[in-house]
Amino acid sequence: MLITFSFTRLAVQVRRWFEIGADATMERGARVELLLLDPQPHRGSESAGQRLVVDRPFWRADLFDRMDRPGEWAAAHVHPSFDGVEPGDRVFSEALTADPWGWLEEQLRRPADRMREAGLDPADADGDLEDLRAAVGLIVAAARRFGPEQSLTRDDDARLTRDAAERVRRLVALIPAEVPYDREYLRPWLEQRP
């Protein structure tokens, strides 16, 4: 499930996330991403449905916990910039792990700062900045629904992240042969086909 808050030029996507690393550690939690909308020409009549293209990520907060260390927020990090669609390095922060939801709220209340950090001009989304700030409570509440402290079963995680099965299969392929991993836990993602 992906929840998108879209404005005129900015969008915020919130979702449940699951991944496995090359060392077989599993992470899950909420992913919150700031993106630019790609303007589309009007199509059809005045009543026609319009295309919404949310296509340019520029900031991402991964409010994750490691499944082998629950409650520590050991995998929580931020990507303050992107190179095209590829996130920059993970940046870890004591403030983030000390109060993940308060930290997220503070970050979202300053969208112009997030844009500048990503090398963007906040003037490109000037009308949306205040609208995004006004929606912060709704956005954080949506993210909390997907947070790692939610006691979701493996099957709940697989249902909420089924669009990520291909990604999980790619991540599993990066695990060295000598590193053991819980194939049964990963079965719903490994067996799902497009």
Side-chain angles (χ1 to χ4, degrees), residues 18 157-158 161 165 168-169 185-192:
F18 171 82
D157 256 346
T161 63
V168 171
R169 287 191 293 275
Y185 190 88
L186 298 172
R187 187 173 47 78
W189 293 277
L190 297 177
E191 293 178 356
Q192 181 182 331

Side-chain angles (χ1 to χ4, degrees), residues 5-11 36-39 52-53 124-125 127-128 131:
F5 297 83
S6 86
F7 304 95
T8 304
R9 288 287 295 135
L10 289 178
L36 293 176
L37 289 151
D38 185 13
L52 176 68
V53 179
D124 291 342
D128 287 354
D131 292 338

Side-chain angles (χ1 to χ4, degrees), residues 163-177:
D163 63 314
E166 174 64 25
R167 178 183 38 78
V168 171
R169 287 191 293 275
R170 287 176 182 227
L171 291 167
V172 167
L174 299 175
I175 300 172

Side-chain angles (χ1 to χ4, degrees), residues 83-173:
D83 181 7
V85 296
E86 297 295 335
D89 292 337
R90 286 182 169 193
V91 175
F92 294 88
S93 158
E94 288 183 22
L96 167 56
T97 56
D99 179 14
W101 303 117
W103 176 90
L104 177 63
E105 184 173 330
E106 177 62 26
Q107 298 301 303
L108 294 175
R109 288 208 184 280
R110 296 190 337 266
D113 291 349
R114 306 294 72 80
M115 292 184 76
R116 279 190 284 278
E117 289 168 2
L120 300 171
D121 182 356
D124 291 342
D126 192 38
D128 287 354
L129 300 177
E130 187 57 39
D131 292 338
L132 193 154
R133 281 191 290 272
V136 165
L138 294 171
I139 296 165
V140 172
R144 287 187 83 130
R145 279 187 59 203
F146 299 129
E149 63 278 79
Q150 301 302 318
S151 58
L152 299 179
T153 67
R154 177 214 49 194
D155 292 340
D156 289 337
D157 256 346
R159 181 178 49 78
L160 289 172
T161 63
R162 67 178 168 254
D163 63 314
E166 174 64 25
R167 178 183 38 78
V168 171
R169 287 191 293 275
R170 287 176 182 227
L171 291 167
V172 167

Side-chain angles (χ1 to χ4, degrees), residues 38-73:
D38 185 13
Q40 299 293 302
H42 186 88
R43 60 185 187 175
S45 72
E46 70 283 354
S47 301
Q50 299 303 305
R51 184 182 314 267
L52 176 68
V53 179
V54 181
D55 191 45
R56 189 169 166 207
F58 65 87
W59 181 89
R60 177 189 290 166
D62 288 329
L63 293 103
F64 298 168
D65 213 349
R66 284 180 42 164
M67 291 176 61
D68 62 333
R69 294 167 48 190
E72 295 181 21
W73 295 89

